[in-house]
Amino acid sequence: MTRVATFGNYQSALLDLMSAQTRASEAQQRVSTQKVATDLTGFGRQSETLTAMKGSQSRIQGFIDTSAAVSARLTTQDLALGQIKDAVIGVRDALGGAISTDSGALLMLELDSHFQAARGGLNTRHHGGYLFAGASTSTAPVAATSLTELAAAPDVASLFSNDTLKTVSRVAEGTTLETGFLADELGTDILSILRDIQTYHTTPGLGPLTGKLTEPQKTFLSTQLGRLEQAGTAVVDKMARTGSLAKQVESITDGHEAQKIALDELLGSRTDADMAEAITDLQLSQVAIQASAQVISQLRQVSLLNYLN
C-alpha cells in the first residue's frame, strides 16, 4: 500500500515552484541583458577564449581612438601649413608688385602683415598645445611679434624656441608614424627672407624700401623672389606629406574598423542570447509558476485533516 503524506505533497509542489522561479529568473536575465550570461563563470570553458577576444577588441579600439586623434591633428596641421603657404605667396606677390611698379610705398606694411600670418601659422595651437613646438607644447615656437624684432635677433635660429622632438604615433601593431613637423624646419626660409628685407630696409645707404625703388633695391628684391620660390616649394612638400599621412591613417583606420566589426560579430555569436528562445523560456517558466502555485493552493483543500474531520 502506497502512503500519500500531506507534507510530501507540499514539499514536491514547493520544489517545483522554486525550480520554475529559477528558470524564470534566468530567462528574464537573458531577455533584459540579451546575453547568455553576465560573467565569465556563466560561459564555462569558453571563458578563456572570450577573455582573449575581449583583449583584442580593446586593443583594436585603442588603435581606432589613436587614429582619430592623429587625423584631427593632421587636419589642424594642414590648415596651419596652408596659412604659412599663403603668407609666402603674399610676400611674393608684394615683392613682385613693388618691382613691377618701381614703388615700395606700401611694401613694408604688406610684408609685416604677411609676417603676422606666417607667425600665426607657426604658432598654431591644437588641444591647448603649440602644434609645431615639439615636446615644448606650452611655449610658442616663434616669439618675435614684428619685423623689427625679427631683424633685432642675432640670427634666424635664435627666433625659434621649439625642441627637436617630433610627434610620433603608434596607429597599429608594428606601425609607427612620424606625423609632426617643427617650427624651425617650416619657418626658417620665410623668416630669413623677411629678416633680410627688414635689415636691408633699415640699413643706411641701402634702404629704406619706400617711395620709388632704385635699381639696386629692385635687384635685391628680385633675389628674394628666387628664395621665396624655394621656401614655397618646401611648405607645399610638407602639405603633401601631411595629406599622404592622413590618407595612410584613414586606410589603417578602415582596416581596424573592419577587424572590429568581424570581432564583434564573432564575439556576439558566442555571447548573445537567442532572444526567441529566451522569451519562450520566460513564458513557459511563468506558466510553470502559475501551475505550481495552483497546485499548492489546491493542496490546502486535500489535507488529510479535512478527511478526518
Side-chain angles (χ1 to χ4, degrees), residues 274-291:
D274 186 332
M275 296 307 296
E277 180 182 358
I279 292 174
T280 301
D281 289 345
L282 179 60
Q283 292 174 340
L284 292 176
S285 60
Q286 290 174 342
V287 171
I289 290 174
Q290 294 174 357

Side-chain angles (χ1 to χ4, degrees), residues 6 47 56 214 242 260:
T6 300
S47 59
S56 298
T214 64
T242 298
K260 186 174 182 299

Side-chain angles (χ1 to χ4, degrees), residues 158-190:
S158 65
L159 295 169
F160 300 96
S161 59
N162 59 273
D163 57 28
T164 59
L165 298 177
K166 296 183 180 181
T167 302
V168 176
S169 304
R170 184 167 176 262
V171 295
E173 292 288 355
T175 302
T176 302
L177 300 178
E178 186 180 273
T179 57
F181 296 120
L182 301 175
D184 56 355
E185 67 178 327
L186 295 172
T188 295
D189 290 341
I190 182 60

